[in-house]
Amino acid sequence: MTAILSWNIQNGRGCDRVIDLARIARVAQAMGDSDVLCFQEIARGDPDWDGSADQVAQLAALQPAHAAVFGPTLVRGERQ
């Protein structure tokens, strides 16, 4: 059986309004041993979200047992 975690992380912003992807990774791990992690509302080069950060790369580094696959649903500004 495959365990899937799907979570809208709102670009990593917690209830305290702080963007902390390491916290997201810790909570995801605490939820159990998921085979697939699906994070929605993450930013990749979007100046309106987390200062143009590449949150895909950051989350991939925090979850080394998983392979990152990114599929944008919204592209603003120049495509990188």
Side-chain angles (χ1 to χ4, degrees):
M1 181 175 217
T2 301
I4 299 173
L5 169 65
S6 182
W7 185 5
N8 180 333
I9 65 168
Q10 300 177 359
N11 77 296
R13 190 178 313 275
C15 293
D16 58 3
R17 310 285 301 151
V18 174
I19 294 174
D20 186 348
L21 295 177
R23 175 174 52 191
I24 297 292
R26 286 191 307 273
V27 172
Q29 182 63 36
M31 289 181 175
D33 189 20
S34 299
D35 299 303
V36 179
L37 301 171
C38 302
F39 295 125
Q40 296 85 43
E41 289 194 15
I42 62 173
R44 181 178 247 180
D46 188 329
D48 293 336
W49 283 30
D50 199 14
S52 297
D54 186 348
Q55 292 186 333
V56 176
Q58 292 174 19
L59 285 167
L62 292 165
Q63 299 290 341
H66 293 83
V69 177
F70 179 65
T73 57
L74 173 67
V75 177
R76 291 188 277 209
E78 289 186 36
R79 187 174 270 245
Q80 297 181 0

